């Protein structure tokens, strides 16, 4: 077989893979839409994290269907799902697991914690003590945990979706910047629109009750979750491979470098983004392009994801805070400003 | 008073005197001293109440013992000024009357300050001047602190903001865009300037359509729906970002509308032309 024929075959296989993946993504979104109204952006961000092996931090008040969303996603892709409610008295062993003395054999056996799953919902991560946060974040980074003298690899894929309430700050331990940097995306959840909220209410009103033994309980959205997955682990791997086939132009990389550099030079920021932010931008933009049905990334991907990727990686200085600025304001001004200040890779400014 | 007791008093006083006259120097100001077993005639005595707060001599009766018809006393005293003091002057009967049959019991106090030594300033409250000294310095420090706070909060911030804006507004998007567009249409735009071209095109359309306050994501969506800006940005995307599409895009045709718009505007400044001469090959 000639080189051109091989290339053609590979191209056809990639095209098929791309189409199948896109169909798989549509099935996931449809399945989640059966129980969660709206939140398309959050679903997209979770898919991005799932396909790129990143982790997501969701900031939002309670009651925005975060658990339902993650549960629906786990069931639709046939992934294991665990949820940990973080509290101030939580211990690292409560997450990772511990060694337990078996009274029969008089020997220690390992009890694996809830971290041994594919999708982990770390609810209100900022309520736990720093040592617990760091235990989780270490596992996120290393993809393995040590219990006693033994090291265990975490299942693949392993995705942590952490949540924190941005309003209530008493009794919380704010995640330090170095740990926030581990999250590929930090998405700020918003309330549903009035139309979406009306739909939520009407759906909830139709749920009815569920008989249990001699009594009955009111059904919840969790009861209507379909348990049959819309795809297999193979589909997920194919999607992850398809992300790697998405083309990233040098021009796009230049855009990323320029915006990341601008955050480091802006005098309203204490510090800008690390190189990890640039890597996360490229990764997530590729996944978004796949979800949007494109074979290549475009600036729209950058604009859509910049806030989620960069906002938790920058910190305003006191002067900017005194001016009443927010991180969003500064980031948007930076992104708008890069078009005004034309600079090539050689750094010369027109 | 019996003869025995008088002899005893005299003997004690004599011994005191001899003791004082001996090599033992008199006590110094402020140091407490004791005299014990002093027999004084008559009923029990007590120390006169201290009426003057600034009295230079203070006497205290430590213990009293009956001594026949008389009494024996243990005294403790101290002086705040040098000089000789008679202990009997500080005693009275328990009924408040002044005894007239007491012998003199002289004690001496000396100062350790050298001759001519100025006494320390009295510690009594002194009136502070209305403006000056501590009050003046406290007022000055407060004014400086408040002024510093205001300076931190306000001074230099507006100029810095203006400086930043001025730095960004040195050239209009049109001035920056013109050489880039010309180079792109001639296909002589260096690869490292392509990102600049795309950003400058977006900035140009943003100003052209007066969409300055929109967030970049919304701005891009708005521009894509515009009849002139939309096709151009999508074409640029194809050329810049799609794999292997470089030859398939007619850049000359794609970028002509924007150059026509630029030509309809005033000619570029000299400042905008000189740095980009390298693009006009």
């Amino acid at each position: 077989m000639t080189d051109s024929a091989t290339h053609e075959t590979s191209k056809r296989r990639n095209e098929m893979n791309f189409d199948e993946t896109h169909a798989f993504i549509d099935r996931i979104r449809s399945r989640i839409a059966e129980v969660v109204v709206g939140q398309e952006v959050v679903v997209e961000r979770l898919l991005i994290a799932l396909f790129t092996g990143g982790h997501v931090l969701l900031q939002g008040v309670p009651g925005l269907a975060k658990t339902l969303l993650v549960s629906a996603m786990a069931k639709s892709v046939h992934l294991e799902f665990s949820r940990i409610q973080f509290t101030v008295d939580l211990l690292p062993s409560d997450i990772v697991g511990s060694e337990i003395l078996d009274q029969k054999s008089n020997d220690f056996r390992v009890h694996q914690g809830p971290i041994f799953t594919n999708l982990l919902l770390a609810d209100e991560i900022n309520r736990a003590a720093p040592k617990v946060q760091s235990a989780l974040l270490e596992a996120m980074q290393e993809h393995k945990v040590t219990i006693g003298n033994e090291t265990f690899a975490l299942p693949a894929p392993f995705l942590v979706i952490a949540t924190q309430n941005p309003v209530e700050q008493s009794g919380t331990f704010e995640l330090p910047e170095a740990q926030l940097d581990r999250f590929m995306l930090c998405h700020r959840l918003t309330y549903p629109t009035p139309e979406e909220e009306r739909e939520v209410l009407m759906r909830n009103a139709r749920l009815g009750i569920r008989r249990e033994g001699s009594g009955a309980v009111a059904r919840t959205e969790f009861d209507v979750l379909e348990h049959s997955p819309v795809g297999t682990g193979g589909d997920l791997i194919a999607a992850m491979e398809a992300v790697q086939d998405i083309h990233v132009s040098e021009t796009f990389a230049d855009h990323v470098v320029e915006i990341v550099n601008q955050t480091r030079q802006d005098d309203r920021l204490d510090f800008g983004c690390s190189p990890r932010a640039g890597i996360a931008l490229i990764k997530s933009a590729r996944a978004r392009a796949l979800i949007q049905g494109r074979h290549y990334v475009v600036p729209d991907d950058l604009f859509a994801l910049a806030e989620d990727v960069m906002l938790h990686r920058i910190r305003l200085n006191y002067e900017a805070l005194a001016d009443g600025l927010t991180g969003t304001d500064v980031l948007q001004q930076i992104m708008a400003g890069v078009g005004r200040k034309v600079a090539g890779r050689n750094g010369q400014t027109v | 008073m019996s003869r025995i007791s008088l002899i005893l008093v005299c003997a004690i006083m004599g011994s005191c005197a001899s003791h004082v006259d001996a090599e033992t120097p008199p006590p110094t100001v402020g140091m407490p001293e004791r005299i014990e077993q002093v027999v004084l005639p008559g009923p029990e005595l007590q120390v006169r109440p201290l009426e003057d707060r600034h009295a230079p001599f203070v006497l205290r009766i430590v213990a009293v013992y009956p001594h026949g018809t008389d009494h024996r006393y243990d005294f403790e005293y101290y002086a705040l000024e040098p000089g000789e003091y008679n202990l009997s002057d500080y005693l009275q009967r328990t009924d408040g009357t002044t005894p007239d049959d007491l012998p003199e019991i002289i004690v001496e106090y000396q100062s350790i300050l050298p001759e001519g030594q100025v006494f320390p300033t009295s510690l009594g409250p002194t009136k502070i001047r209305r403006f000056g000294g501590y009050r003046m310095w406290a007022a000055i420090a407060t004014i400086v602190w408040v002024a510093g706070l205001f300076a931190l909060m306000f001074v230099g911030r507006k100029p810095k903001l203006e400086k930043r804006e001025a730095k960004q507004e040195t050239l209009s998007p049109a001035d920056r865009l013109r050489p880039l567009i010309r180079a792109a249409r001639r296909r002589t735009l260096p690869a490292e300037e392509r990102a600049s071209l795309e950003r400058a095109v977006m900035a140009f359309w943003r100003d052209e359509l007066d969409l300055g306050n929109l967030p970049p994501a919304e701005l891009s969506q708005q521009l894509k729906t515009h009849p002139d800006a939309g096709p151009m940005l999508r074409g640029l995307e194809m050329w810049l970002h799609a794999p292997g599409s470089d030859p398939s895009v007619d850049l000359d045709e794609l970028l002509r509308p924007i150059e026509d718009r630029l030509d309809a505007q005033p000619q570029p400044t000299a400042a905008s032309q000189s740095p980009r001469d390298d693009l006009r090959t």
Side-chain angles (χ1 to χ4, degrees):
Chain A
M1 198 186 271
T2 61
D3 280 354
S4 61
T6 309
H7 177 70
E8 204 56 43
T9 310
S10 161
K11 199 175 166 185
R12 259 203 310 276
R13 196 171 53 243
N14 284 350
E15 200 60 45
M16 277 173 62
N17 189 14
F18 183 88
D19 293 340
E20 285 168 13
T21 296
H22 208 252
F24 169 60
I25 291 165
D26 283 343
R27 289 200 301 275
I28 294 173
R29 298 187 90 154
S30 306
R31 171 59 60 82
I32 291 169
E34 288 171 12
V35 284
V36 180
V37 180
Q39 306 282 28
E40 286 88 0
V41 178
V42 191
V43 174
E44 184 190 75
R45 299 302 190 262
L46 294 183
L47 287 171
I48 287 169
L50 191 62
F51 296 159
T52 55
H55 305 285
V56 186
L57 178 62
L58 297 177
Q59 281 193 347
V61 292
L64 294 178
K66 296 187 287 282
T67 309
L68 181 66
L69 187 65
V70 178
S71 184
M73 178 168 279
K75 283 191 166 66
S76 59
V77 193
H78 196 57
L79 295 171
E80 271 189 64
F81 167 62
S82 295
R83 176 177 177 271
I84 305 170
Q85 180 66 47
F86 278 60
T87 55
V88 71
D89 57 352
L90 200 75
L91 296 171
S93 57
D94 296 333
I95 298 172
V96 173
S98 56
E99 284 186 316
I100 296 172
L101 181 65
D102 192 335
Q103 302 256 345
K104 288 177 185 171
S105 62
N106 222 8
D107 213 343
F108 282 101
R109 65 179 173 83
V110 171
H111 168 74
Q112 293 187 339
I115 202 166
F116 288 87
T117 186
N118 297 120
L119 275 185
L120 177 70
L121 179 64
D123 232 343
E124 297 201 82
I125 190 170
N126 55 335
R127 291 213 170 272
K131 65 179 177 185
V132 180
Q133 291 172 0
S134 58
L136 174 68
L137 292 158
E138 191 182 350
M140 284 161 59
Q141 188 76 1
E142 308 287 329
H143 278 245
K144 57 177 188 273
V145 294
T146 304
I147 304 170
N149 296 325
E150 225 176 323
T151 302
F152 298 87
L154 292 171
F158 174 65
L159 168 64
V160 173
I161 297 158
T163 71
Q164 62 177 18
N165 180 349
V167 179
E168 200 184 331
Q169 293 302 317
S170 61
T172 62
F173 300 89
E174 197 180 348
L175 288 169
E177 283 75 12
Q179 293 188 346
L180 278 173
D181 204 26
R182 304 271 170 85
F183 287 98
M184 190 172 85
L185 300 167
C186 174
H187 184 72
R188 287 136 199 93
L189 284 161
T190 52
Y191 286 111
T193 61
E195 293 76 23
E196 288 169 347
E197 191 146 14
R198 192 181 307 112
E199 177 64 22
V200 169
L201 299 179
M202 295 312 293
R203 280 192 193 187
N204 192 272
R206 290 193 294 265
L207 285 173
I209 58 163
R210 171 166 51 88
R211 289 186 179 277
E212 245 185 39
S214 57
V217 290
R219 276 157 58 94
T220 65
E221 287 79 0
F222 287 90
D223 294 318
V224 296
L225 274 177
E226 282 279 351
H227 286 266
S228 56
V230 295
T232 62
D235 290 325
L236 182 59
I237 292 163
M240 290 167 101
E241 282 173 344
V243 168
Q244 300 304 312
D245 293 332
I246 299 294
H247 176 73
V248 181
S249 64
E250 286 199 19
T251 306
F252 186 84
D254 283 345
H255 287 319
V256 171
V257 168
E258 178 63 21
I259 286 171
V260 168
N261 266 321
Q262 285 296 318
T263 64
R264 295 170 194 164
Q265 289 161 17
D266 198 288
D267 55 11
R268 291 165 298 182
L269 300 178
D270 267 345
F271 55 82
C273 293
S274 66
R276 201 182 267 160
I279 294 165
L281 270 171
I282 298 279
K283 273 185 177 181
S284 53
R286 283 174 114 179
R288 186 175 185 269
L290 174 72
I291 292 164
Q292 300 278 328
R294 270 184 277 104
H295 290 273
Y296 55 92
V297 292
V298 294
D300 281 354
D301 298 321
L302 178 59
F303 300 146
L305 292 162
E307 201 172 302
D308 284 1
V309 173
M310 297 165 82
L311 202 53
H312 63 289
R313 291 181 160 102
I314 61 174
R315 191 171 70 188
L316 266 67
N317 57 27
Y318 289 116
E319 222 175 352
L321 288 168
D323 280 334
L325 289 169
T326 64
T328 310
D329 296 333
V330 173
L331 192 59
Q332 284 182 359
Q333 282 170 24
I334 286 171
M335 287 172 70
V338 289
R340 294 183 181 278
K341 187 163 70 69
V342 181
R345 272 186 294 193
N346 51 11
Q348 66 185 128
T349 303
V350 181
Chain B
M1 191 192 271
S2 67
R3 189 185 294 178
I4 296 167
S5 57
L6 274 171
I7 291 164
L8 187 62
V9 169
C10 292
I12 288 166
M13 297 312 297
S15 70
C16 283
S18 68
H19 181 73
V20 169
D21 291 343
E23 64 278 359
T24 311
T28 54
V29 167
M31 298 303 293
E33 282 290 310
R34 284 177 81 109
I35 300 179
E36 293 174 349
Q37 304 300 310
V38 178
V39 179
L40 292 175
E44 191 180 339
L45 295 164
Q46 64 180 26
V47 176
R48 287 185 179 185
L50 202 66
E51 287 165 0
D52 182 10
R53 282 182 62 240
H54 301 287
F57 188 81
V58 177
L59 176 69
R60 193 163 69 87
I61 295 173
V62 180
V64 183
Y65 311 97
H67 190 84
T69 56
D70 305 324
H71 287 83
R72 253 188 356 265
Y73 299 89
D74 289 349
F75 292 117
E76 190 176 74
Y77 55 90
Y78 63 87
L80 299 173
E81 287 173 16
E84 288 187 345
Y85 301 93
N86 181 6
L87 300 193
S88 302
D89 294 345
Y90 297 90
L91 295 170
Q92 64 179 29
R93 298 281 176 215
T94 48
D95 57 3
T97 55
T98 305
D100 53 358
D101 57 345
L102 294 182
E104 280 191 339
I105 309 167
I106 304 296
V107 293
E108 189 190 350
Y109 265 84
Q110 67 172 20
S111 170
I112 56 168
L113 292 174
E115 280 298 318
Q117 167 75 48
V118 179
F119 277 76
T121 313
S122 71
L123 296 177
T126 53
K127 195 166 170 60
I128 299 170
R129 281 177 293 163
R130 187 156 184 80
F131 194 75
Y134 174 78
R135 280 189 187 178
M136 185 185 73
W137 287 115
I140 289 169
T142 306
I143 291 163
V144 168
W145 189 86
V146 170
L149 182 69
F150 272 84
L152 275 174
M153 284 170 70
F154 301 111
V155 177
R157 286 165 66 188
K158 278 210 161 65
K160 205 185 280 183
L161 278 169
E162 283 160 11
K163 215 183 289 176
R164 189 191 303 125
E165 281 161 13
K167 202 163 62 180
Q168 289 177 350
E169 298 296 340
T170 48
L171 291 170
S172 72
D175 286 349
R176 286 190 297 270
L177 190 54
R178 200 183 303 270
L180 294 169
I181 290 282
R182 284 177 184 162
R185 286 184 70 189
R186 295 183 191 127
R187 290 200 172 268
T188 56
L189 185 72
E192 62 268 22
E193 299 295 347
R194 290 179 177 185
S196 299
L197 170 72
E198 190 171 29
R199 290 196 294 264
V201 166
M202 277 196 77
F204 170 80
W205 282 114
R206 183 186 53 218
D207 293 351
E208 188 81 351
L209 305 177
D210 199 21
L211 301 170
N213 295 327
L214 280 180
E218 282 179 50
L219 171 73
S220 180
Q221 282 179 357
Q222 290 257 354
L223 293 180
K224 294 271 174 71
T225 59
H226 189 266
D228 292 332
M232 187 182 296
L233 288 170
R234 280 192 292 273
L236 269 180
E237 268 180 12
M238 281 294 294
W239 173 52
L240 295 169
H241 301 290
S245 62
D246 192 355
S248 66
V249 179
D250 184 356
L251 286 176
D252 190 43
E253 198 57 40
L254 181 75
L255 297 172
R256 185 192 302 277
I258 203 165
E259 189 150 25
D260 291 344
R261 279 175 181 257
L262 288 171
D263 288 339
Q265 291 178 1
Q267 281 303 298
T269 60
S272 69
Q273 288 179 351
S274 53
R276 284 282 163 216
D277 283 347
D278 60 318
L279 299 175
R280 303 178 186 199
T281 50

